[in-house]
């Protein structure tokens, strides 16, 4: 079975400061990992994905994540938060033996204060 | 840019009624999924569909649920007899064939309210 644990349900940062959203995964197989973002009353948008080609993955809007197999982690970072980054962020794992179904973490709500 | 569309955006129904949620996938995508998100909870996988049959389903996807692709374009989720606990946002997602890291593209969702 595969699962993800998002270590913080809420994160609050000031505009212009770094963002760190933490995610640990568990998988019996080589995982594919994703971060999705959901803005209020909107659908889910892919931020970035780990494809095993590179451990440091760059996504949209300045976000990036580093896959660390030894720590089973896939933390999401951004050097400088913008007000528009306020949203719900989901760490997601997909494994081939589940029909590539996505297994979502519980989400981290990011608040950005002026 | 092609996108997944879903109708209706909102659906209000009485308990025990049947509802059909519709999704139009991106045209060259072959794998289709339904997920739901109960208010305040995480997104949960319901079912995956490929080559006109269910490939995987979760424990949530019981006999009250069914999926089909009736006309080769729409992908539908039917709930035969809705319950209060079916109230949720339902997302359709589609994917091209191939590797696991091919992303799933999500529709905007249908908010289902069961009274």
């Amino acid at each position: 079975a595969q699962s993800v644990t998002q270590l913080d349900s809420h994160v609050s940062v000031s505009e212009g400061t770094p963002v760190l959203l933490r995610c640990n995964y568990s998988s019996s197989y080589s995982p594919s990992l994703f971060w999705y973002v959901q803005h209020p009353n909107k659908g889910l948008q892919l931020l970035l994905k780990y494809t095993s080609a590179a451990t440091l993955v760059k996504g949209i809007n300045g976000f990036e994540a580093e896959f660390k197999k030894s720590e089973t982690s896939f933390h999401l970072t951004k050097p400088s938060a913008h007000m528009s980054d306020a949203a719900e962020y989901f760490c997601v794992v997909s494994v081939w033996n589940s029909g590539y179904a996505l297994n979502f973490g519980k989400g981290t709500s990011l608040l950005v204060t002026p | 840019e092609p996108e997944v569309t879903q109708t209706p955006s909102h659906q209000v129904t009485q308990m025990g009624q049947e509802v059909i949620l519709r999704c139009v996938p991106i045209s060259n995508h072959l794998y289709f999924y339904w997920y739901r998100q109960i208010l305040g909870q995480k997104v949960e996988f319901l079912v995956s569909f490929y080559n006109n049959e269910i490939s995987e389903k979760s424990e949530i996807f019981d006999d009250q649920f069914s999926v089909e692709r009736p006309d080769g374009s729409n992908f539908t989720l039917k709930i035969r007899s809705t319950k209060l606990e079916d109230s949720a946002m339902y997302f359709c997602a589609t994917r091209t064939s191939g590797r696991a890291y091919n992303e799933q593209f999500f529709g905007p969702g249908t908010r289902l309210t069961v009274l």
Side-chain angles (χ1 to χ4, degrees):
Chain A
Q2 61 285 338
S3 66
V4 291
T5 301
Q6 292 186 244
L7 300 169
D8 307 290
S9 58
H10 295 84
V11 169
S12 181
V13 301
S14 300
E15 188 176 21
T17 64
V19 175
L20 170 64
L21 305 184
R22 298 182 294 167
C23 172
N24 287 111
Y25 71 90
S26 172
S27 176
S28 303
Y29 301 91
S30 180
S32 292
L33 294 161
F34 308 80
W35 276 97
Y36 278 82
V37 62
Q38 185 180 32
H39 289 274
N41 300 313
K42 301 286 188 183
L44 294 153
Q45 181 184 20
L46 181 71
L47 274 180
L48 49 80
K49 58 186 179 184
Y50 168 68
T51 65
S52 75
T55 56
L56 183 61
V57 181
K58 294 188 183 299
I60 61 172
N61 300 332
F63 284 94
E64 59 183 40
E66 186 172 8
F67 174 74
K68 291 186 177 180
K69 187 175 181 179
S70 61
E71 298 176 10
T72 61
S73 68
F74 191 57
H75 300 334
L76 181 70
T77 60
K78 182 174 181 178
S80 176
H82 293 175
M83 296 297 291
S84 60
D85 293 329
E88 190 83 14
Y89 291 80
F90 294 97
C91 183
V92 183
V93 64
S94 169
V95 180
W96 68 270
N97 70 332
S98 67
Y100 303 124
L102 298 182
N103 193 339
F104 282 72
K106 292 186 177 181
T108 298
S109 179
L110 177 64
L111 175 66
V112 182
T113 57
Chain B
E1 185 176 329
E3 57 183 22
V4 178
T5 58
Q6 290 184 241
T7 55
S9 56
H10 293 86
Q11 173 93 48
V12 180
T13 190
Q14 296 290 324
M15 189 170 55
Q17 295 297 304
E18 175 183 285
V19 295
I20 297 177
L21 310 183
R22 292 182 170 80
C23 169
V24 178
I26 295 173
S27 63
N28 63 336
H29 287 193
L30 300 177
Y31 293 79
F32 313 117
Y33 303 81
W34 282 103
Y35 296 84
R36 79 171 185 190
Q37 184 181 31
I38 295 172
L39 187 64
Q41 298 186 23
K42 72 172 188 175
V43 178
E44 300 172 291
F45 166 70
L46 292 178
V47 65
S48 60
F49 190 84
Y50 170 71
N51 201 25
N52 285 319
E53 60 183 30
I54 290 172
S55 47
E56 294 285 338
K57 59 182 181 179
S58 72
E59 292 178 352
I60 302 168
F61 194 87
D62 61 22
D63 292 343
Q64 292 298 314
F65 291 89
S66 62
V67 290
E68 65 175 355
R69 220 175 162 212
D71 55 12
S73 59
N74 289 296
F75 176 52
T76 63
L77 173 69
K78 181 192 292 186
I79 309 175
R80 289 191 185 79
S81 178
T82 51
K83 305 170 191 170
L84 296 176
E85 54 265 36
D86 293 328
S87 296
M89 182 72 89
Y90 288 81
F91 292 104
C92 172
T94 74
R95 185 173 69 87
T96 59
S97 61
R99 304 297 178 92
Y101 53 74
N102 287 140
E103 69 177 277
Q104 292 184 21
F105 291 79
F106 282 79
T110 293
R111 182 170 298 281
L112 176 65
T113 301
V114 182
L115 302 176

